[in-house]
């Protein structure tokens, strides 16, 4: 049996679609057949050279698949069996550093990954952009029965990314359910999830800010509960901050969630917040340059700024539980996915990079 994979061969170079032999899983591993594997902003940053990655490699870290081979006795230890739909989580924290020992293994300083294996060595198919995937059983999370795996794939990384940000806020004493207002910067997958989550937990007024007007994304944002969507192509950042201040009784919003990845968004978010506001910043995940800010605003407003990068397996489970609890959202979530066969990876990346889709996923075919 053979399987296709999209091989990353260097920054700004087209992916090469290659075929690999499909072998039996090594001890401690599960083999899964691709259902859907999302194109993440991180992968776009790798492809355009804003994040380093050795080549050649099979990148991708949002693999959703169906288990088709594993040692049954090993699988039983982890509640896994052939036929289960699973998410493959790539993060391998060391378990020994200070952060791991104090309950924050998402920020392990010695973090390893499951998708970094040499593609010339069996079982070859380590990463997410392949029709078959091999992942340690320790890093496979079963998708609950009744959840459509393609629906799950839309936010397979953005969902846990958001959940981890919100978990850090709660650890810092932020009572999210009591917030009156919030603004989400960026309506890519991470921003859409944040908007959806904040409305679902009861935040009364959620606004969104995007770089340009996109009617299809705006429609989705309004379906998810956005009160208003602002476009920086139509209003300046200062004008938007003034409107939000007026809309919140002259204060500014309680919470801002940065999901755009644009460095300039950080200064804009600071301006939109009220005194003692909270700024969650998971979106600045590439080396995209610096930006000038007014640091006295942090002092004068007594702002609480929380960065958040990776996520833990517990955040993946929290994301799945959120989906279980909110079946009313499944239809709109599923509608965000646009699918491409693995062999069409370069068109998929072109469309994802151009923002033509909310969520781009690779599938078999």
């Amino acid at each position: 049996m053979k399987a296709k994979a999209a091989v990353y061969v260097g920054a700004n170079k087209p992916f090469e679609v290659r075929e690999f032999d499909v072998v039996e899983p090594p001890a401690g591993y599960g083999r899964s057949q691709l259902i859907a594997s999302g194109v993440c902003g991180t992968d776009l940053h790798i492809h355009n050279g804003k994040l380093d990655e050795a080549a050649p490699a099979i990148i991708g870290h949002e693999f959703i698949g169906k288990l088709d081979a594993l040692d049954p006795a090993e699988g039983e230890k982890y509640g896994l069996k052939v036929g289960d739909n699973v998410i493959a989580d790539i993060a391998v924290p060391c378990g020994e550093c200070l952060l791991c020992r104090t309950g924050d293994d998402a920020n392990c300083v010695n973090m390893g990954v499951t998708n970094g294996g040499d593609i010339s060595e069996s079982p070859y198919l380590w990463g997410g952009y392949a029709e078959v995937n091999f992942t340690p059983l320790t890093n496979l999370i079963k998708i609950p029965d009744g959840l459509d795996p393609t629906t799950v794939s839309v936010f397979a990384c953005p969902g846990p990314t958001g959940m981890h940000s919100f978990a850090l806020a709660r650890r810092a004493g932020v009572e999210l359910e009591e917030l009156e207002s919030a603004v989400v910067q960026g309506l890519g997958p991470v921003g859409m999830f944040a908007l959806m989550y904040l409305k679902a937990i009861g935040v009364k007024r959620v606004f969104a800010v995007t770089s340009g007007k996109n009617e299809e994304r705006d429609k989705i944002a309004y379906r998810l509960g956005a009160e208003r969507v602002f476009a920086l192509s139509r209003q300046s950042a200062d004008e938007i901050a003034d409107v939000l201040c007026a809309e919140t009784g002259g204060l500014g919003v309680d919470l801002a969630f940065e999901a755009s990845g644009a460095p300039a968004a950080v200064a804009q978010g600071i301006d939109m917040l009220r005194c003692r506001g909270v700024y969650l910043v998971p979106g600045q995940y590439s080396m995209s340059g610096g930006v000038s800010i007014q640091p006295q605003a942090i002092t004068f407003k007594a702002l609480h700024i929380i960065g958040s990068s990776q996520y833990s397996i517990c955040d993946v489970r929290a994301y799945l539980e959120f989906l279980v609890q909110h079946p009313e959202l499944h239809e709109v979530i599923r509608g965000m996915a646009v699918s491409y066969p693995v062999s069409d990876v370069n068109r998929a990346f072109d469309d994802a990079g151009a923002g033509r889709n909310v969520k781009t996923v690779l599938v078999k075919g």
Side-chain angles (χ1 to χ4, degrees):
M1 185 166 60
K2 301 278 189 180
K4 293 177 183 176
V7 178
Y8 168 78
V9 293
N12 299 305
K13 296 179 181 179
F15 286 87
E16 294 182 3
V17 178
R18 302 180 188 175
E19 282 196 334
F20 293 82
D21 291 327
V22 177
V23 300
E24 291 300 308
Y29 278 71
R31 188 182 73 194
S32 304
Q33 298 290 327
L34 174 65
I35 295 174
S37 187
V39 173
C40 180
T42 300
D43 301 319
L44 293 174
H45 295 322
I46 290 171
H47 194 240
N48 64 26
K50 291 183 179 179
L51 286 175
D52 292 332
E53 176 69 38
I58 300 172
I59 63 171
H61 57 274
E62 299 187 11
F63 187 95
I64 304 284
K66 184 179 289 292
L67 267 172
D68 77 333
L70 76 166
D71 180 280
E74 288 184 334
E76 189 174 359
K77 299 175 187 176
Y78 302 99
L80 297 168
K81 63 183 185 305
V82 168
D84 285 343
N85 295 324
V86 292
I87 295 180
D89 184 86
I90 71 163
V92 185
C94 71
E96 298 177 357
C97 71
L98 174 64
L99 289 163
C100 284
R101 289 186 284 106
T102 54
D104 194 9
D105 63 359
N107 290 298
C108 170
V109 297
N110 303 306
M111 185 72 79
V113 293
T114 65
N115 69 345
D118 187 339
I119 64 171
S120 68
E121 296 181 1
S122 180
Y124 318 111
L125 301 168
W126 310 99
Y129 293 160
E131 293 178 329
V132 171
N133 170 267
F134 293 86
T135 289
L137 297 173
T138 52
N139 285 64
L140 291 176
I141 302 100
K142 180 182 176 180
I143 296 172
D145 296 336
L147 280 184
D148 169 43
T150 304
T151 299
V152 173
S153 76
V154 174
F155 294 126
C157 172
T161 295
M163 296 303 286
H164 191 70
S165 296
F166 295 127
L168 290 178
R170 288 192 170 93
R171 286 179 61 177
V174 180
E175 296 179 347
L176 295 170
E177 287 79 3
E178 296 185 9
L179 298 178
E180 293 285 331
S181 60
V183 62
V184 174
Q185 297 172 275
L187 285 178
V190 175
M192 284 292 191
F193 180 81
L195 167 60
M196 178 176 69
Y197 180 84
L198 289 166
K199 283 302 297 184
I201 66 172
V203 177
K204 294 180 178 62
R205 309 181 72 187
V206 182
F207 305 90
V209 178
T210 65
S211 59
K213 186 72 174 175
N214 184 314
E215 291 187 2
E216 288 304 313
R217 292 194 189 218
D218 290 357
K219 287 178 184 178
I220 295 171
Y222 284 122
R223 285 187 67 186
L224 294 175
E227 181 164 328
R228 187 169 173 182
V229 179
F230 300 92
L232 288 164
S233 60
R234 297 191 175 190
Q235 290 176 278
S236 71
D238 289 341
E239 289 172 335
I240 295 170
D242 288 344
V243 172
L244 290 175
C245 186
E247 289 281 346
T248 53
L251 295 174
V253 296
D254 299 329
L255 179 141
F257 188 102
E258 203 299 295
S260 73
V266 176
Q268 295 162 10
I270 288 172
D271 287 343
M272 296 172 191
L273 284 162
R274 67 166 171 83
C275 185
R276 295 294 303 276
V278 177
Y279 200 6
L280 300 183
V281 189
Q284 298 294 320
Y285 205 81
S286 71
M287 295 173 285
S288 297
V291 65
S292 176
I293 65 170
Q294 299 299 315
Q296 71 275 11
I298 299 171
T299 301
F300 293 160
K301 287 186 175 183
L303 297 180
H304 193 171
I305 300 177
I306 303 173
S308 179
S309 53
Q310 284 77 236
Y311 53 83
S312 299
I313 284 179
C314 65
D315 300 305
V316 180
R317 297 190 189 282
Y319 162 62
L320 293 172
E321 182 58 27
F322 175 79
L323 292 181
V324 169
Q325 292 173 353
H326 293 280
E328 75 280 2
L329 296 172
H330 293 185
E331 181 182 355
V332 66
I333 294 171
R334 179 66 182 84
M336 296 183 207
V338 179
S339 301
Y340 301 74
V342 170
S343 58
D344 208 6
V345 60
N346 289 304
R347 185 167 68 94
F349 262 66
D350 286 345
D351 288 350
R356 297 186 183 99
N357 312 323
V358 175
K359 188 61 184 183
T360 300
V361 297
L362 299 181
V363 298
K364 267 193 162 183

